[in-house]
Amino acid sequence: MASNTLVSRRGAGSGRRTRRRDADQARPRTLISPAQLGRPRGKLVYWIVFALVAAGFTLVFLGPLYWMVTGGLKTTQEVVQSPPTAFPSSIHTENYSQAWTVMDLAQLLLNTLYYAFGALAFQLVLDVAAAYSLSKLRPVLGKAILGMMLATLMIPATVLVVPQYLTVLDVPIFERNLLNSPWAIWLPSVTNAFNIFLLKRFFDSIPGELLDAAAIDGASPLRTLRSIVLPISRPILGVVSIFAIVGVWKDFLWPMLTLPDPGKQTLNVGIYSLSNGVPQNVLIAALTIASVPTLLIFLLFQRNIMSGLTAGGLKG
Amino acid sequence: MSAPTLSTGKASAPPPGHHPRPTGPASAREEFVRALRRNVTAHGFLIGAVLCFSFFSWYPMVREFVLAFQKTENGETTWAGWSNLSYVFNDPAFWQAWRNTALFTVLALLLGFAVPFVVAVVLNEFRHAQGYLRLLVYLPVMLPPVASVLLFKYFYDPGYGLFNRILEFLHLPAQQWLQDPGTSMLSVVIASTWMNMGGATLIYLAALQGIPGELYEAAELDGAGLLRKIWHVTIPQTRLILSLLLLMQIIATMQVFTEPFLLTNGAGPEGSTTTVVYLIYQYAFNFNNYGGAAALGLLLLVVLAGFSAVYVRLSRSSED
């Protein structure tokens, strides 16, 4: 279908699709020649290097996560014991329930979810509408507006933190103070020029005849967007959605500044500000709980995330 | 493809969107009304994003410039001229912050730029478990920063931390890591590299997979060994992406805040991990000196604008 050709254009598909392609045709030539690899010595070297790298990577990247999950099951003495133990000598699942109640993780999780999905909704509605308008409706001054949006990518984000914070304290014209309000997270999240750029590029690749046909049939621009553009754009919408959620989940400085009320904080800020007051093993359990949602998102949608990363337009 | 069916009444009455009516020449007035209507619709779609940009992006940009030349004392805002800048320049923390930021950037490039490239080159050769290894490298990127940072704090602990256990195992002297001004920045960079290298690695991998295999074959016919193939084929073929990522990383690392803030409370031992952005944070939110913060931000902007300009030129040439 149309959507398929539009995605695989980037050729960054990983996982099953690549594997199937491998079976159909020979694997593309890389640095080391197949002939060299075919020799017994080549095979031996390959497997040694492979085993070392695979073991090293598992240790370096999974090791800390393993330490975190099991650390949450240990007693305080065992966590700070030297040398450390590989397995908890006795399992203390109550650390997890204690972290849940003492640090009020349910509230923090709920807050973060609320901010993340709100930001997602705002970005999907406003950024998609803007990208659609700039790509297909082409208003007067559209180019200038797009240029001004892209120009914001050139300004280092941290430079704007102070004036943005002052704006949140007292929004001009509306004269509202958005401190401790979810709007302080949601509205600035819309100003993501990279999203608009990604979406616009995708919309640009949708043939104009398709939209013209809809227009001849009497569909309004909104109807065309809903019935034709959005269904085709599902893959790019998925990428943008994941990045929107992960972005809020990972942010630290901005929520720390704009949500000082402990009851309204995000996981990152809340855990950080409570980190000195709780026992180490409970804190580690809390870190594990805080890591689960984004890790789950990643494991479920890793193919979209991987292809979205390279869709940023570094190379066609 | 199911096109929407003709809707009745209201929707079909106005001239359809951006499609010119196929009938004879329209009067100039009709043409104008149609163009106006089309533009109103298009701007209607744009208005939400434009408002957000106006309030939270464009207006703060202007405000940043204004703030840098203003002073607020006792609730009264006055024109300050260059005094904010000279104040910032005369702060002893200023030069230290720039030195620290430069050190962080250089270390982060040595580690965060070279390591992902080497990792990508090695991974690209593997015929097995590539998906699994790719997943591993990207895993830390998905952790909330507090989790990774506090984990590393445990690993760095001079008493029971894993890193000193490893050094002990290798018969190397134990380190103070975050507590020693000599190693604190390196420790921050190591943690930061672990947290962030996934993105760069995946982009390199995608670039490596775009290299035509014939180039390697041709190089082999000319008698090139492994290193010469990397030097004469791999690097030239990925040079554009390498330089783009290099610039992106310079721009990103010079704005580092979260890692030193969480690992060493921002300043570190003897101010050894105070970065420029942390100084901006301190000016604004600890000393209530918004003018100084804005002036410092402006300086950072000027420095980074140079890198940004090169980046834009390079990425333009990549699109041709």
Side-chain angles (χ1 to χ4, degrees):
Chain A
M1 254 289 298
S3 62
N4 238 341
T5 51
L6 283 165
V7 203
S8 51
R9 196 168 57 95
R10 291 265 148 252
S14 56
R16 210 158 298 145
R17 193 178 301 147
T18 330
R19 239 172 282 148
R20 203 186 304 140
R21 206 198 298 133
D22 286 350
D24 290 342
Q25 61 190 71
R27 199 178 176 286
R29 235 331 289 269
T30 53
L31 193 53
I32 294 164
S33 75
Q36 215 173 348
L37 267 181
R39 274 178 232 131
R41 211 177 82 101
K43 266 187 191 151
L44 184 71
V45 173
Y46 172 81
W47 282 109
I48 290 175
V49 174
F50 176 77
L52 283 177
V53 171
F57 267 48
T58 309
L59 207 69
V60 168
F61 291 107
L62 271 189
L65 295 189
Y66 172 80
W67 187 91
M68 181 169 76
V69 175
T70 53
L73 295 168
K74 294 173 181 172
T75 60
T76 320
Q77 290 82 6
E78 201 182 346
V79 166
V80 297
Q81 179 187 323
S82 177
T85 48
F87 303 98
S89 53
S90 56
I91 306 279
H92 294 269
T93 45
E94 73 271 12
N95 294 339
Y96 282 89
S97 50
Q98 213 183 330
W100 187 260
T101 48
V102 170
M103 303 189 81
D104 208 358
L105 287 184
Q107 182 69 51
L108 293 178
L109 259 169
L110 219 64
N111 289 347
T112 315
L113 276 173
Y114 182 51
Y115 302 137
F117 280 93
L120 169 65
F122 272 92
Q123 286 183 46
L124 279 186
V125 173
L126 298 183
D127 286 351
V128 166
Y132 172 65
S133 173
L134 292 170
S135 168
K136 294 299 180 199
L137 306 178
R138 299 173 178 275
V140 176
L141 292 179
K143 281 222 163 112
I145 292 174
L146 180 67
M148 276 170 69
M149 286 177 172
L150 292 180
T152 61
L153 289 176
M154 293 291 109
I155 306 285
T158 47
V159 168
L160 288 188
V161 162
V162 174
Q164 264 177 340
Y165 174 77
L166 293 176
T167 307
V168 165
L169 281 188
D170 180 15
V171 180
I173 302 170
F174 294 96
E175 307 200 334
R176 286 278 172 77
N177 182 344
L178 298 183
L179 219 60
N180 281 323
S181 132
W183 299 97
I185 305 286
W186 294 341
L187 294 179
S189 81
V190 174
T191 66
N192 188 333
F194 186 68
N195 266 353
I196 293 179
F197 175 70
L198 265 188
L199 290 164
K200 181 185 175 286
R201 271 198 13 171
F202 196 91
F203 293 163
D204 283 345
S205 70
I206 297 174
E209 295 84 44
L210 219 56
L211 306 189
D212 288 343
I216 290 172
D217 283 351
S220 65
L222 185 63
R223 178 79 202 259
T224 313
L225 174 64
R226 219 179 48 215
S227 315
I228 297 179
V229 175
L230 289 187
I232 296 178
S233 312
R234 226 174 308 162
I236 196 75
L237 294 178
V239 169
V240 169
S241 306
I242 293 163
F243 285 162
I245 293 175
V246 172
V248 173
W249 215 273
K250 292 202 59 163
D251 205 2
F252 180 79
L253 175 60
W254 186 247
M256 176 176 73
L257 292 176
T258 54
L259 304 163
D261 178 352
K264 295 188 168 159
Q265 277 168 351
T266 62
L267 271 171
N268 274 321
V269 182
I271 291 181
Y272 168 71
S273 50
L274 292 173
S275 61
N276 286 326
V278 292
Q280 313 250 20
N281 51 353
V282 174
L283 179 61
I284 297 171
L287 297 182
T288 312
I289 296 173
S291 307
V292 167
T294 39
L295 284 183
L296 265 186
I297 290 182
F298 175 52
L299 294 176
L300 285 176
F301 298 103
Q302 49 143 324
R303 206 180 312 166
N304 308 44
I305 294 176
M306 302 272 189
S307 63
L309 274 172
T310 39
L314 275 170
K315 199 179 175 190
Chain B
M1 190 54 60
S2 67
T5 48
L6 244 175
S7 43
T8 48
K10 208 167 51 99
S12 58
H18 54 292
H19 187 81
R21 212 201 287 250
T23 49
S27 73
R29 201 185 124 79
E30 226 175 292
E31 198 72 54
F32 174 76
V33 169
R34 199 176 303 149
L36 188 72
R37 201 188 294 258
R38 202 194 46 177
N39 266 297
V40 168
T41 316
H43 282 291
F45 275 90
L46 261 177
I47 189 77
V50 165
L51 278 178
C52 286
F53 269 92
S54 308
F55 281 106
F56 296 102
S57 216
W58 297 328
Y59 169 67
M61 268 186 207
V62 177
R63 186 111 188 245
E64 162 73 22
F65 280 91
V66 176
L67 274 176
F69 299 100
Q70 277 182 345
K71 195 169 259 169
T72 304
E73 262 165 344
N74 310 325
E76 215 173 295
T77 305
T78 49
W79 185 246
W82 299 100
S83 66
N84 284 329
L85 270 172
S86 63
Y87 177 86
V88 167
F89 264 109
N90 289 319
D91 185 345
F94 176 82
W95 297 109
Q96 191 183 21
W98 279 101
R99 267 200 309 276
N100 288 340
T101 305
L103 177 66
F104 181 89
T105 304
V106 170
L107 286 174
L109 288 184
L110 288 178
L111 280 177
F113 183 67
V115 171
F117 185 69
V118 174
V119 164
V121 168
V122 173
L123 285 195
N124 196 35
E125 294 308 315
F126 286 160
R127 274 111 182 104
H128 305 87
Q130 222 193 65
Y132 166 72
L133 295 173
R134 231 176 357 205
L135 187 129
L136 281 186
V137 186
Y138 202 69
L139 216 49
V141 180
M142 283 292 142
L143 288 183
V146 245
S148 349
V149 159
L150 291 182
L151 267 181
F152 268 83
K153 256 186 163 169
Y154 283 110
F155 297 156
Y156 281 133
D157 190 281
Y160 57 83
L162 281 181
F163 285 147
N164 275 348
R165 290 284 89 67
I166 294 170
L167 290 184
E168 194 182 317
F169 181 76
L170 298 170
H171 297 285
L172 292 168
Q175 299 292 325
Q176 286 296 306
W177 300 107
L178 294 168
Q179 272 86 15
D180 177 352
T183 52
S184 57
M185 195 52 112
L186 180 67
S187 310
V188 173
V189 173
I190 291 173
S192 170
T193 304
W194 184 84
M195 290 161 69
N196 300 315
M197 69 177 273
T201 308
L202 294 190
I203 290 172
Y204 291 146
L205 258 175
L208 290 173
Q209 275 155 10
I211 299 177
E214 300 86 57
L215 293 179
Y216 290 121
E217 275 160 21
E220 275 158 24
L221 285 179
D222 291 343
L226 182 65
L227 288 179
R228 297 189 62 158
K229 272 190 280 183
I230 293 178
W231 187 249
H232 290 293
V233 180
T234 313
I235 291 181
Q237 283 291 310
T238 48
R239 199 175 52 207
L240 192 68
I241 289 184
L242 283 178
S243 41
L244 279 178
L245 254 115
L246 180 71
L247 284 163
M248 252 166 71
Q249 293 211 12
I250 293 175
I251 294 171
T253 49
M254 288 200 67
Q255 299 182 63
V256 67
F257 172 84
T258 309
E259 286 95 339
F261 183 80
L262 289 173
L263 276 168
T264 59
N265 296 323
E270 295 167 32
S272 58
T273 61
T274 303
T275 60
V276 173
V277 176
Y278 179 67
L279 203 57
I280 294 179
Y281 169 85
Q282 270 199 316
Y283 271 128
F285 303 108
N286 294 347
F287 312 148
N288 264 325
N289 181 354
Y290 292 120
L296 195 51
L298 224 48
L299 286 172
L300 184 65
L301 177 70
V302 169
V303 172
L304 291 184
F307 292 113
S308 293
V310 181
Y311 179 86
V312 171
R313 280 189 69 160
L314 272 175
S315 59
R316 283 251 171 81
S317 67
S318 80
E319 265 160 31
D320 298 337

